Amino acid sequence: LNFDGSGSFNALPDQVIKGTKRFLYFTESGGKTPGVYARDLHTGKYMTIFEASDEKYQADETVGIAFSPDRHKMYAGYQQSGVLFELRRIDNLPFP
């Protein structure tokens, strides 16, 4: 898996969640490197939260995007692989 912010959204959006400020977060349904992405609604810039780099996740889909009540944790997983991630920002700030 890649968590470095680089990547490309190359399939269809599945789940979309509005952040507290100016971001939309969305999962990807299938594709070569399915992941979770964000879009800055003010600038139009897209960002990769994480995406698959291992071929075992190809054609899988990211699902279940959710935030903890304080927004310091993001949750998402891969449907067919049965993998769930708990993510935190390295600066310990909440997800916007």
Side-chain angles (χ1 to χ4, degrees):
L1 295 175
N2 291 325
F3 291 96
D4 62 5
S6 64
S8 61
F9 181 79
N10 60 26
L12 298 173
D14 192 4
Q15 182 183 9
V16 178
I17 291 183
K18 176 120 173 42
T20 58
K21 298 193 180 190
R22 63 192 222 190
F23 292 95
L24 283 179
Y25 297 92
F26 52 98
T27 61
E28 185 174 18
S29 182
K32 185 176 178 182
T33 56
V36 172
Y37 305 89
R39 182 174 186 202
D40 184 325
L41 297 174
H42 292 178
T43 67
K45 180 180 176 185
Y46 286 93
M47 295 157 273
T48 301
I49 305 298
F50 72 87
E51 71 177 10
S53 59
D54 191 304
E55 64 183 46
K56 72 180 179 179
Y57 297 112
Q58 284 185 1
D60 206 332
E61 66 181 273
T62 46
V63 295
I65 190 168
F67 296 98
S68 63
D70 64 3
R71 299 187 73 84
H72 279 85
K73 298 174 189 171
M74 175 191 281
Y75 302 95
Y78 284 103
Q79 185 169 307
Q80 285 85 10
S81 301
V83 177
L84 178 66
F85 298 103
E86 177 184 282
L87 307 168
R88 295 175 186 230
R89 290 176 42 156
I90 58 173
D91 59 9
N92 291 318
L93 293 174
F95 287 91

